[in-house]
Amino acid sequence: MMMEDRRLNKYLADSGYCSRREADRLIEAGQVTINGRVAALGERVPAGARVMVGKEEIGFAGDKVYLAVYKPVGIVSTADTREKDNIVDFIAYPGRVYPIGRLDKDSEGLLLLTSDGDIVNRILRSEGRHEKEYEVRVNKPLTAEFLSRMASGVPVLGQTTLPAGIRQTGPDSFTLTLVQGLNRQIRRMCEYLGYEVLRLKRVRVLNISLGRMRPGEWRQLGDRETRELMALLDKQG
């Protein structure tokens, strides 16, 4: 979870400005200031401090909350408190947030939550146009036909899935990039082709990546990530 007082390199990385390694390089080069004072390696950023790289102020999105969450298997992508394993109670964020879209209970990985109802509507309206990337492992070796069919389209829920990007990563594993989100789509696609999904992990939604987060962890999106996300949604109309 995000801490009020955190290391400067983590602050810059969490903001989406750069990696921790690049942050350390910028700090060593004297390009980072905290409240107008040149910062030092290992320094911590107190809540409310003004952090700048050169002439650019680095902060987080204002009053609206945008969270990237690593949803574990078994947690349900809902804000409905009648569901005991709902994602909102699970992360216990100190404010009202809602999941953007869904990730089924048996799957894990990146789920976005926000207090911004407008962005929820914008992302849902753009369904079929924004990319989501998954890492998948199945119960038997992949074949050329399987890879080709998954990429070109498979009958699911009375329709043929849209073309998808696929890359084999092992004898029984692959990454799949979708631009639609039918109910349990990847599991249904694999089942149609005679395969069973053993593990399904979402690693990216649009420009937001899971990175090195672990199950149950969450972080706030940085200003740069949020601006890029809004720009992509604007481009998609």
Side-chain angles (χ1 to χ4, degrees):
M1 296 169 66
M2 295 290 295
M3 303 297 292
E4 288 297 321
D5 179 1
R6 53 195 178 277
R7 284 186 177 274
L8 179 54
N9 62 355
K10 186 176 189 302
Y11 180 97
L12 292 174
D14 287 346
S15 76
Y17 184 82
C18 62
S19 67
R20 289 200 197 189
R21 180 176 296 180
E22 176 65 9
D24 285 338
R25 189 191 68 76
L26 291 169
I27 296 165
E28 283 186 302
Q31 297 182 41
V32 185
T33 61
I34 300 176
N35 293 332
R37 173 183 49 78
V38 175
L41 273 176
E43 191 165 347
R44 302 189 74 83
V45 180
R50 188 183 189 196
V51 177
M52 299 188 73
V53 177
K55 295 182 178 181
E56 183 177 356
E57 184 169 357
I58 310 300
F60 293 88
D63 295 333
K64 294 177 181 177
V65 176
Y66 305 94
L67 306 177
V69 180
Y70 189 143
K71 185 195 85 66
V73 172
I75 298 300
V76 182
S77 305
T78 181
D80 189 344
T81 55
R82 292 173 295 182
E83 168 55 64
K84 65 181 181 67
D85 295 319
N86 73 84
I87 187 67
V88 173
D89 285 346
F90 175 76
I91 67 169
Y93 182 79
R96 197 175 181 87
V97 290
Y98 307 87
I100 302 175
R102 297 184 63 83
L103 186 59
D104 72 66
K105 186 174 182 178
D106 298 328
S107 301
E108 62 186 292
L110 180 62
L111 183 67
L112 302 180
L113 278 80
T114 185
S115 62
D116 183 354
D118 179 59
I119 196 174
V120 174
N121 293 330
R122 292 174 71 191
I123 287 181
L124 294 181
R125 280 201 306 269
S126 70
E127 192 68 45
R129 285 174 288 171
H130 70 260
E131 290 188 348
K132 290 167 285 188
E133 184 178 348
Y134 300 82
E135 294 177 354
V136 189
R137 184 166 62 86
V138 291
N139 64 330
K140 58 185 179 181
L142 307 179
T143 64
E145 181 184 5
F146 172 84
L147 295 169
S148 175
R149 293 293 303 277
M150 289 290 287
S152 61
V154 174
V156 167
L157 297 173
Q159 60 184 290
T160 299
T161 58
L162 296 175
I166 192 167
R167 178 172 61 87
Q168 186 169 357
T169 55
D172 59 357
S173 62
F174 59 95
T175 62
L176 189 70
T177 302
L178 301 179
V179 290
Q180 64 187 139
L182 302 177
N183 181 253
R184 298 176 68 86
Q185 179 173 340
I186 296 175
R187 295 179 187 277
R188 292 177 189 274
M189 292 172 72
C190 290
E191 182 180 0
Y192 181 85
L193 297 172
Y195 286 75
E196 178 187 353
V197 171
L198 300 181
R199 189 184 188 203
L200 180 58
K201 176 181 174 182
R202 185 158 67 194
V203 295
R204 180 173 63 86
V205 175
L206 285 164
N207 65 306
I208 312 300
S209 295
L210 191 63
R212 297 184 177 180
M213 293 174 68
R214 297 178 179 178
E217 290 184 343
W218 60 266
R219 65 178 180 83
Q220 294 193 46
L221 299 190
D223 279 353
R224 177 171 290 190
E225 287 179 304
T226 305
R227 287 196 301 269
E228 290 175 354
L229 178 61
M230 298 303 180
L232 286 169
L233 292 174
D234 287 341
K235 185 176 180 180
Q236 293 174 353

